[in-house]
Amino acid sequence: MLSKEEIVKSVPQKGFIGHPKGLFSLFFTEFWERFSYYGMRAILIFYMYYAVKDGGLGLDRTQANIIMSIYGSLIYMSGIIGGWIADRILGTQKSVFYGGIMIMLGHIALSLPGGVTALYASMVLIIIGTGLLKPNVSAVVGDLYADNDARRDSGFTIFYMGINMGAFLSPLLVGWTQKEWGFHAGFAVAAVGMFVGLVVFWVTKKNLGLAGSQPTNPLLPGERKKTFSIFGAAAIVIAIAGVITYLTGNFTIENFSLLITTLGILIPTVFIAYMYRSPKTNADEKSRLLAYIPLFICAVMFWAIQEQSSTILATFVDTRTDLMLGNFEISPAWFQSLNPLFIIALAPLFAAMWTKLGERGPSTPRKFAYSLFFAGASFLIMVAAIILTGTGLVNPLWVVLSFFLVVLGELLLSPVGLSATTKLAPQAFAGQTMALWFLASAAAQAINAQLVRIYEMVSETSYFGVLGALSIFLGVVLLLMSPMISRAMRGIK
Ligand code: GLU
Ligand code: ASP
């Protein structure tokens, strides 16, 4: 097995704006992957519920929103399996590459006129593909630097900018293509994006040196058989359960969503409990894990609101706002570019603010609490918009303001959360930390699968009002708990 020193020594340490050349490869691979992902998601919801005569699938709108949430949840849940495969079988480089191929095939499936069958096939491919690619490509970023390298954090910031640049450009391009040439053409643009990402990765892979070239904890021959029998047995049980539910007529989206919601909550709970009880976890690490629980719960609340920008709020923009600008009709998909645009514009400001504040800057739990205040405000603004408008179409600038508020919260939580996770997770589970952090997004969207149903049952103002207030309430609780949490973090900031 390779040591960390051997890996870092094999990586060219310069060549990309003062960073290892490999960061260039990872930056553009992830740029294009996120380009394809967020481009696809910007039009997918409309593809599902638009009438057949408008090029859509004509699904019920609530069902479309449930599917979007389940899909988003599974995409981040599959990261645990993707991380495991890289760790024990393939190594991160191969996982990223194979994952990218599956994602591309998934987008190709949607670019063909295959109806609902193609939709589900595409989802399966993209769930597995993203599970293989997303946590692993981020993990390789960490592998490029020696542990004490001062450039590591800024490396992650550059990478994060790449994510958001891809997420910014694609809704514009994919949305425009869809408007001019229809949905399948839009999805084809996403497929081309992933193809470019794969080419970049393949051609510049040598910049990564040995980073991610081998599994870090390979399965031993004896373990192999046992593991594959467990996987095989699990697959059979799932298949049988699926067939029984189908034959008894219980296989509905609603029932499936209940399963995903349960899993979304259960998996992180079991995972954290498992780490806590592991003999490899020492007393300090146990205390840190306990400190991590309230942070994780708040991250779930935050992502539940943030992720609704591509479901509930996307639907709101499409159906409840006035998109005519004179004679020109704004594409509702373009609104998905706002979040990453604000992130790109504001991330440097936040970074400068933390540097300036130095030691006086807020602690991690406090930042999380503030982020919940902004997330809550973003929903309360929607209540104001709806009440002030009365009947008729809402001015879409309200939604722009709502997205802006979410981004202020996101900048307080997203980059901070990832680094907090890497520091708070027990050493023995370091390889799974990326996946652990993504489980917050998985749980959030698993819960959203139920929330989007409630949205149809209650008034818009009570929906946004109650969730906004809940987020602020959780923020207050976290703020009150923050000295205690900071103490339990045992020296970690
Ligand atoms: N939007 C970010 C990304 O796609 C954050 C994802 C998340 O943690 O949910 O990488
Ligand atoms: N801000 C998200 C992320 O960091 C992107 C998005 O929601 O479009 O990638």
Side-chain angles (χ1 to χ4, degrees), residues 30 34 37-38 76 134 160-168 170-171 303 306-307 309-310 335-341 343-344 406-407 410 414-415:
E30 183 58 347
R34 290 286 99 181
Y37 179 71
Y38 282 112
Y76 286 122
K134 176 95 170 120
Y160 181 62
M161 293 299 252
I163 289 178
N164 280 286
M165 284 177 185
F168 162 65
S170 64
W303 289 117
Q306 195 267 9
E307 285 288 352
S309 39
S310 59
F335 282 74
Q336 298 302 316
S337 285
L338 288 167
N339 168 306
L341 174 67
I343 297 246
I344 298 167
V406 165
V407 165
E410 192 166 338
S414 185

Side-chain angles (χ1 to χ4, degrees), residues 47-48 55-57 59 109-122 184:
Y47 175 59
M48 285 195 275
L57 293 173
L59 298 179
L110 278 179
S111 58
L112 305 169
V116 176
T117 318
L119 172 70
Y120 289 138
S122 153
H184 297 302

